[in-house]
Amino acid sequence: VQLQASGGGLVQPGGSLRLSCAASGFTLGYYSVAWFRQAPGKEREGISAIRAGDRKTTYSNSVKGRFTISRDATKNTISLQMNTLEPDDTAVYYCAATSGNPIFSNMLQPNAYTYWGQGTQVTVSS
């Protein structure tokens, strides 16, 4: 069971990136998946999640309206479309998954997730 995040890079403020979380060894469609990020010197922050059972999504206030999480069942991936990027979005981004359905208030909590991918660096700078 492995997760791999990809798609990070350097982008100018106002630009867009699309991150992808690919799974091997299991079908992501049956799992709840979340994206987290961690900037230097800061705690890991949950920013978006999609629940397995009802496909309910949630976003942190810091990214709501700018980021969109989605599933691609044919590719066994979860994507995070990030628009209108800001320098404060600079961080290492991680995807995580669990076979359960976290209650809504826990969907952005790291301890709700069992499997973690390696991070992908996103840098927003001019």
Side-chain angles (χ1 to χ4, degrees):
V1 174
Q2 286 188 327
L3 292 171
Q4 184 168 352
S6 62
L10 172 64
V11 63
Q12 293 186 341
S16 298
L17 280 176
R18 187 176 183 88
L19 304 184
S20 183
C21 178
S24 59
F26 63 101
T27 302
L28 264 183
Y30 299 125
Y31 285 70
S32 299
V33 179
W35 286 94
F36 294 82
R37 67 185 182 186
Q38 189 164 19
K42 295 187 177 181
E43 292 186 355
R44 188 166 295 191
E45 175 192 17
I47 57 172
S48 184
I50 183 166
R51 204 156 54 182
D54 56 8
R55 299 294 193 255
K56 191 174 185 64
T57 60
T58 188
Y59 300 89
S60 66
N61 288 335
S62 59
V63 306
K64 192 175 297 182
R66 300 187 297 124
F67 291 10
T68 303
I69 191 170
S70 61
R71 293 184 184 272
D72 187 335
T74 62
K75 297 180 181 179
N76 202 26
T77 60
I78 299 289
S79 295
L80 185 69
Q81 178 67 40
M82 307 188 297
N83 298 328
T84 321
L85 284 161
E86 305 166 352
D88 283 349
D89 294 318
T90 295
V92 178
Y93 284 68
Y94 302 87
C95 59
T98 183
S99 59
N101 284 286
I103 60 174
F104 187 76
S105 60
N106 282 351
M107 286 176 67
L108 297 181
Q109 298 302 314
N111 60 12
Y113 296 88
T114 306
Y115 307 105
W116 289 80
Q118 91 295 350
T120 185
Q121 175 71 46
V122 171
T123 303
V124 185
S125 175
S126 55

